[in-house]
Amino acid sequence: MTKRVCEIILDVIAPVSTRQFFGMTGDTLNPLLDAIRRDGRFEWMGVRHEEAGAFAAGAQGKLTGKLGLCAGTTGPGALHLINGLYDAKRDRAPVLAITGHIPTSEQGSTYFQETNLKAIFEDICVYNQYVSNPNQMPRMIQQAVQMALTEGGVAHLSIPSDIINQEIPASDLHRDVLVSTPTIMPCPGELEKAADILNKGGKIAILAGDGCRGARDELLQLADKLNAPIIRTLRGTDVMENDNPHWIGGLGMLGSPQGVNAIEECDTLIMLGTDFPYGMFLPGGRNIIQVDVKAAHIGRRCAVTVGIVGHARPTIVELNKLIRPNSETAYLEKLQRRREKWDNTMDKKASLENRKMIPPQGLTRLAADLASDDAVFVVDVGEVTAFAARHLRLRGSQRLLGSFNHGSLGVGLPGAMGAQALDRNRQVVALCGDGAFGMMMQDFVTAVRYEMPLTCIVYNNEKLGFVELEMQATGFPKYGTKLVNPDFAAYAKVCGGKGITVTKAEDLEAAINEAYASKVPYILDVKVNPDELILPPKIDAAHAWGYSFAKLKELFVEGEDQ
């Protein structure tokens, strides 16, 4: 008995993958597509652009921890995957990318569509190989899958058209994939050093990231003992329900004042499961205890007093055994009062009463409030990210996905496709700015084709709003940020889905409910107030002056494309 290379790939990945391939086929990948057709265990999801396929596969990896799958054919098809795969890399999502390659006999001759894919993919991948001989299978696919799953990242195999359909003997077929996910336990000596600092008491804050996922109860026990506020990173937004009294607010430019205050005023900061990139928001001259599963992350953003290498949950469990209750209460109580004040301010911004134009804050809040308790929100990049960070008050088992490290426009729709394909019965909502949605809107028809009843909410302000704010904050007049949009609701219907345009606040709730109840993909095109500002949690003189100066410049820029 023999099996083809493409068949062996499917045998190896079947037990550990989502079993949904996103991609566009073509000459060199045709044997793989035929193997998927004959196999019966997999679903081929033919996208209109390979970047959408990579985003969708990455979203599945983030949600499930299983191997997301995408494919692109020779040259341009493979290159189109790259941006979506960079997003998976930055969020440590396990993804396997299969790319076709030109025949081995033509390589090195500048043949049609010839590219050096191994070199091009090198910066993206935890495993990146060119298959030059069919007998490298199944060992090579086994290694690729294991690396993607255990390291958390992208594995890539580039397979020539004259290799992928070749057969190898049965004696070489069996290769099991190691899927064990060991827990990294903290070093006792490091725990004791951390406990010594924490047992001195004072104002202690916790910065919780995505690494705290699955450790909610233990994290709360730690916060209770220490009377500590928990400040969240953007990726850690859905680690805990929004209404918990320890859940003080976010950090960074999209954070909240009380979140920034908590960091600035603490005596000791515990960084749990986060490699928070913005060092300017981290305190200097304080005790900082950092816990991370990656040793390379310890201390690279700020000076650390104690570094602990380990998973967040077992580290918290062991710390809870060593620490004594902290008597400091005023610090947390003051921050809770500040949070209450901030929440009231956000409520006013989100209010839809007596509004001539729909506030994007109100749209975001209503989208969350009307969603099911296990809804998945996929937020795109731009102003909509800020509205999601401040106005999505998550509850239950709701999840929030986005391109929070790579920061790529266009992730919303394809990310929602990946999430929805996993479970057609789970509510999935893409929150997209009009600029971001316009980048990947061609694949809305893919959602229709594969019967994904997702909802795309488009924040239509007819401009690249975040870019405009960046320009003005640095003293430049707005220029080149205007958009000319199609009728998104009509586009939804042309694709075979449903859509509606909303211009009045009083119509919004009914429109969202209709979209959520739809059995086919739905575009909710909402004309939001284009003049809503996103203010950072603290405004310094430089930003204030830059914005004022930009506004003055605009007075003298007449007739320009703004």
Side-chain angles (χ1 to χ4, degrees), residues 137-164:
M137 293 295 179
R139 179 178 58 185
M140 190 171 278
I141 182 62
Q142 175 216 27
Q143 290 178 307
V145 171
Q146 282 189 186
M147 287 294 287
L149 289 170
T150 58
E151 293 293 316
V154 177
H156 166 240
L157 291 180
S158 175
I159 312 176
S161 59
D162 56 339
I163 298 288
I164 196 168

Side-chain angles (χ1 to χ4, degrees), residues 304-345:
V304 170
T305 313
V306 179
I308 301 176
V309 178
H311 281 97
R313 186 175 181 274
T315 302
I316 298 169
V317 169
E318 294 305 312
L319 271 178
N320 279 329
K321 297 176 183 178
L322 298 174
I323 61 174
R324 298 187 296 269
N326 182 18
S327 61
E328 167 62 52
T329 60
Y331 170 61
L332 175 60
E333 291 167 357
K334 180 172 67 173
L335 290 167
Q336 288 171 334
R337 290 192 296 271
R338 288 177 179 173
R339 178 195 162 159
E340 184 178 2
K341 183 178 178 181
W342 171 256
D343 284 349
N344 290 335
T345 300

Side-chain angles (χ1 to χ4, degrees), residues 271 275 290-302 304 306-310:
M271 297 176 63
D275 184 33
Q290 185 176 4
V291 179
D292 202 290
V293 73
K294 293 278 190 179
H297 294 178
I298 303 289
R300 72 174 175 181
R301 306 300 183 189
C302 59
V304 170
V306 179
I308 301 176
V309 178

Side-chain angles (χ1 to χ4, degrees), residues 23 33-34 58 95 114 125 138 153 253 273 293 340 343 442 451 453 541 556:
L33 198 73
D34 186 62
V95 172
E114 182 173 9
C125 300
M253 291 298 291
V293 73
E340 184 178 2
D343 284 349
Q442 77 285 335
E451 299 179 340
F556 298 98

Side-chain angles (χ1 to χ4, degrees), residues 181-246:
T181 52
T183 297
I184 298 176
M185 299 297 293
C187 171
E190 294 167 354
L191 285 168
E192 289 171 4
K193 290 177 184 177
D196 287 343
I197 292 173
L198 297 174
N199 283 332
K200 292 176 183 176
K203 295 177 286 188
I204 301 171
I206 298 171
L207 178 61
D210 184 65
C212 293
R213 193 172 305 284
R216 174 197 175 277
D217 293 345
E218 294 79 6
L219 180 59
L220 274 180
Q221 185 183 355
L222 180 67
D224 280 335
K225 263 192 167 183
L226 296 174
N227 277 316
I230 304 173
I231 305 96
R232 65 180 182 269
T233 65
L234 190 54
R235 281 189 68 197
T237 298
D238 55 358
V239 164
M240 191 175 299
E241 64 280 4
N242 181 78
D243 61 2
N244 190 281
H246 282 282

